[in-house]
Amino acid sequence: MPDSQQLANLALMSMLILLPLALGTMLYGRSRGTRRVLTWARALALATLVLTIAYDVAGAVVLLLIEPTPGHPPWTNPALATKYPYFYLPIGVGAFLAALGVLVGVIRARHKLG
């Protein structure tokens, strides 16, 4: 497995771990009314947003770079496909939307607290 695939898997795994943590801290801070917990939830949601944007942009760049040039036969060498990392772009977009929803929920809960 290339190092770039390990890095892509690490980014995917970390954003999928940070998302439930942000949601849990948001719900806890919202129910207890503690501003400090909502600050942590906002920080976790922002970190997840940054990771998802970086993951999706890196995936799009890799897809553009591995595109065969016009005039060359596409993918004549099957071993070439394993050279590049796999990106799961729908998961990245879904995590982005979920992190955005958590961030909006944190901002609304903080606004209600005053």
Side-chain angles (χ1 to χ4, degrees), residues 4-28:
S4 54
Q5 182 64 50
Q6 291 175 352
L7 186 62
N9 289 346
L10 179 68
L12 180 66
M13 187 174 59
S14 60
M15 73 180 168
L16 292 179
I17 289 172
L18 286 177
L19 195 57
L21 289 175
L23 181 63
T25 54
M26 180 199 70
L27 293 175
Y28 180 79

Side-chain angles (χ1 to χ4, degrees), residues 80-104:
L80 192 61
T82 60
K83 181 179 159 187
Y84 299 103
Y86 293 115
F87 285 92
Y88 302 103
L89 294 180
I91 294 174
V93 172
F96 174 77
L97 293 175
L100 196 61
V102 169
L103 185 63
V104 167

